[in-house]
Amino acid sequence: MSPHGRAHPGEPDEPAEAHMPAADRPDALPTVDLAIDLSSHELLRRVHVLDALGPDWDPVAALHGEEAAYELLYSGLDAEQQRVYDELVSAGVLPRRGGGRAAA
C-alpha cells in the first residue's frame, strides 16, 4: 500500500476476508435468532382503541357515514375533474362508485 492509502498496481484494495460472507469471516461473532411475540401488545393496543372510541361507537353507522362522505367528495365534478376521476378509477387508484360516474 502506498503512503497515500492507495493500493499499488496488482495489490488488492481490501483483504480477502472483506469479500467473504459475514458468517464465514474469521472475526465473525456468532449469530443469535431473536423472536419477539407482540400478540399481547397488539391485544392491549386494540383494547385502548376500543376504549377511546367509547361505548356509543357504531361501526355500521361509521361505515355508512364514510360512504356518504366519499359520495359527497366525488359529487359535482366538472368535465376535467370527471376525466381525472375516470382515469384514477381505470388505473385502480380509486374504487368505481355511482355506476361508473361520480355522483352529480
Side-chain angles (χ1 to χ4, degrees):
M1 173 106 23
S2 74
H4 301 292
R6 295 190 190 117
H8 293 291
E11 185 179 332
D13 293 336
E14 299 174 348
E17 290 87 16
H19 299 288
M20 297 174 74
D24 296 337
R25 291 178 36 186
D27 61 341
L29 297 174
T31 59
V32 177
D33 287 334
L34 179 64
I36 300 174
D37 182 7
L38 296 175
S39 55
S40 63
H41 177 74
E42 175 61 15
L43 183 60
L44 183 61
R45 185 195 66 79
R46 289 180 186 187
V47 167
H48 287 298
V49 167
L50 291 175
D51 188 42
L53 290 170
D56 298 331
W57 179 64
D58 181 358
V60 175
L63 182 59
H64 287 296
E66 186 175 320
E67 288 297 320
Y70 277 119
E71 292 300 325
L72 183 60
L73 178 65
Y74 298 115
S75 67
L77 302 179
D78 65 25
E80 176 64 11
Q81 292 168 331
Q82 185 67 51
R83 184 191 65 73
V84 171
Y85 172 83
D86 291 339
E87 284 183 14
L88 292 172
V89 169
S90 296
V93 175
L94 294 175
R96 184 165 304 284
R97 299 178 181 278
R101 302 299 291 169

